[in-house]
Amino acid sequence: QVQLAESGGGLVQAGESLSLSCAASGRTLSSISIGWFRQVPGKEREFVAAIDGYGNTYYEDSVKGRFTISGDSAKSTVLLQMNSLKPEDTAVYYCAASRSAFGSRFRSQYQHWGQGTQVTVSP
C-alpha cells in the first residue's frame, strides 16, 4: 500500500553535505511516521532519524546537530539533510514507513522499506 523510494545518495568528501529524499507513493496517512536507517556490510541496520505523525523528530546521538529530518504532514516526501558528513556515515540509507503516529527507533515498528541509497564519505 505504501511504496518508498530513496534518492540523493552519492560520494562526497568529509565535511560536505548531502540531502536524501524519501518519496512515498500509494496510500499514505498523515499519522504515519517515517524513519531513516542505515546499514553497512556485516552490521545490523541502525536507526538514524525519524519524524512522526505529529511532526516530532528523533535522532541517533551520533547525527544530532548534523542531520535534519523534515517532511510534509502527509509524509509524501521526507528529507534527510546531512551536513558535516564523516567517513563513518558511509552506509546504505533506507527510509521506512510506520503505521504508528509515534516515532520509533526500532526496525520492527516499520512496515514498508525503500531499496536504499548509497552514501559514501571519503576521508
Side-chain angles (χ1 to χ4, degrees), residues 4 6 37 45 94-97 107-108 110-115:
L4 304 175
E6 305 94 337
F37 292 76
R45 195 169 298 183
Y94 300 86
C95 66
R107 291 185 298 159
S108 63
Y110 294 86
Q111 292 78 49
H112 304 92
W113 294 81
Q115 291 295 110

Side-chain angles (χ1 to χ4, degrees), residues 34-36 49-51 56-59 67-71 78-81:
I34 297 292
W36 282 96
I51 182 167
N56 301 308
T57 58
Y58 310 85
Y59 299 93
F67 291 10
T68 303
I69 187 170
S70 62
V78 174
L79 304 178
L80 183 68
Q81 178 65 44

Side-chain angles (χ1 to χ4, degrees), residues 18 20-22 25 28 32 38 44 51 54 67 72 82 86-88 93 96-97 106 110 116-117:
L18 277 176
L20 305 182
S21 178
C22 176
S25 60
T28 59
I32 67 170
R38 63 188 181 187
E44 187 173 344
I51 182 167
Y54 302 97
F67 291 10
D72 58 20
M82 305 185 295
K86 304 174 180 179
E88 49 264 46
Y93 283 71
F106 302 110
Y110 294 86
T117 185

Side-chain angles (χ1 to χ4, degrees), residues 11-19 66-67 81-86 89 120-122:
L11 173 64
V12 298
Q13 292 182 322
E16 295 183 337
S17 299
L18 277 176
S19 182
R66 299 190 298 121
F67 291 10
Q81 178 65 44
M82 305 185 295
N83 298 325
S84 301
L85 283 162
K86 304 174 180 179
D89 294 319
T120 302
V121 184
S122 62

Side-chain angles (χ1 to χ4, degrees), residues 1-4 24-29 32 97-99 111-112:
Q1 63 181 50
V2 177
Q3 295 80 46
L4 304 175
S25 60
R27 189 174 297 276
T28 59
L29 301 173
I32 67 170
S98 170
R99 296 174 184 173
Q111 292 78 49
H112 304 92

